[in-house]
Amino acid sequence: AVVSTQSTGRSVYLIHTQPTDMHLSSLESVGRALEQLEGIEGLEERLVRPLKEMVRTQFKFGALAHGTQAEARIVRKLEVKQGYKDLTVAPKLHDFDYDSF
């Protein structure tokens, strides 16, 4: 069975590269589905709160917010055209406001 929910924004699991900005972590997906199916207001936010705190902690220790795989393909094409050699590093979100996360 396939379950689809309305996306309300990018995944908070920003230290992991998602395929697109419509993809969520498993925890976010379960929280969103249960919230919508069971009508439990705020369930997704309550379930995701520890994940978000973990990501904040990772940011404090130097982790950077990743873009999506779709964004990475665009960046990689530009880097190849510009002759950039090190393509092993995951692309990071530019201008990400770590303080407001």
Side-chain angles (χ1 to χ4, degrees):
V2 174
V3 176
S4 178
T5 64
Q6 294 293 329
S7 178
T8 58
R10 186 182 286 265
S11 171
V12 299
Y13 192 27
L14 292 169
I15 57 175
H16 173 76
T17 304
Q18 301 291 358
T20 70
D21 61 2
M22 300 292 289
H23 285 78
L24 302 172
S25 69
S26 298
L27 182 63
E28 291 167 307
S29 298
V30 168
R32 184 165 300 166
L34 284 174
E35 182 174 310
Q36 290 181 9
L37 292 170
E38 300 295 327
I40 304 171
E41 188 69 31
L43 179 63
E44 178 186 1
E45 176 58 34
R46 288 193 307 267
L47 288 175
V48 170
R49 198 172 296 140
L51 172 66
K52 199 169 183 179
E53 193 57 40
M54 180 200 70
V55 171
R56 278 192 192 106
T57 300
Q58 293 293 322
F59 288 158
K60 289 177 188 174
F61 288 96
L64 298 174
H66 289 220
T68 65
Q69 290 174 4
E71 293 165 334
R73 282 191 286 280
I74 294 168
V75 170
R76 295 287 191 244
K77 286 179 183 177
L78 290 173
E79 290 174 341
V80 168
K81 282 183 181 179
Q82 295 171 355
Y84 188 70
K85 302 291 185 212
D86 183 10
L87 301 178
T88 60
V89 178
K92 308 301 181 217
L93 289 175
H94 297 289
D95 302 323
F96 181 76
D97 186 1
Y98 291 92
D99 295 326
S100 70
F101 177 77

